Amino acid sequence: MPLDTVCYIIALARDYDGKSDCTDPSASGMDEDDMALGILEDRPSDPVEEELISIISDLSLDAQMDLVALMWLGRDGTSIDDWPELRAMAEDHQNGSTAGYLCGTPMLCDHLAAGLDLIGLNCGTFDARYG
């Protein structure tokens, strides 16, 4: 999977993870009367969540499993030597709802970034372009 794709997912996950609780449960993410709060709050029909789910779902199955293994690598702080085992576990646990699983993982952006760090990559150039 291209590094830019992982970095874009990290950026979206950072925006998604950073939302506060919704102050109006009946409001939608696209409520024109209060668009600013829709961006900052976790609301139903959240466009950031929808984009994150769409991007992950559009990845090939192999890329989705790589993303899960990368998240586990960063979450557990294991070594790159554990990659083959993590990748195999991701395949074994694959159930067709990878996007939902990843989006439901607290601190997804931090885990993915830590996983990249453990394999010697980062999103520095990506952040500078898309910051």
Side-chain angles (χ1 to χ4, degrees), residues 1-15 47-48 51-52 54-56 67 109 112 116 123 126-127 129-130:
M1 177 178 359
L3 178 60
D4 277 359
T5 301
V6 177
C7 292
Y8 187 63
I9 290 169
I10 289 171
L12 284 174
R14 185 174 294 124
D15 289 345
V48 175
E51 184 173 5
L52 187 57
S54 176
I55 296 229
I56 294 170
L67 199 59
C109 61
L112 290 172
L116 285 179
C123 294
F126 181 87
D127 288 342
R129 288 184 292 161
Y130 297 99

Side-chain angles (χ1 to χ4, degrees), residues 3-66:
L3 178 60
D4 277 359
T5 301
V6 177
C7 292
Y8 187 63
I9 290 169
I10 289 171
L12 284 174
R14 185 174 294 124
D15 289 345
Y16 180 65
D17 283 348
K19 293 186 177 229
S20 63
D21 289 335
C22 184
T23 56
D24 181 3
S26 66
S28 78
M30 302 305 290
D31 186 353
E32 290 184 22
D33 292 335
D34 208 350
M35 214 45 147
L37 279 178
I39 292 169
L40 299 173
E41 291 183 347
D42 186 14
R43 292 186 173 183
S45 302
D46 183 335
V48 175
E49 178 184 25
E50 289 174 13
E51 184 173 5
L52 187 57
I53 287 172
S54 176
I55 296 229
I56 294 170
S57 296
D58 287 346
L59 295 172
S60 70
L61 187 58
D62 280 339
Q64 290 181 30
M65 297 305 94
D66 286 345

Side-chain angles (χ1 to χ4, degrees), residues 69-80 83 86 115 118-119:
L70 182 66
M71 188 272 295
W72 287 343
L73 179 70
R75 180 192 66 192
D76 299 337
T78 56
S79 157
I80 188 60
W83 179 261
L86 292 171
L118 287 169
I119 60 175

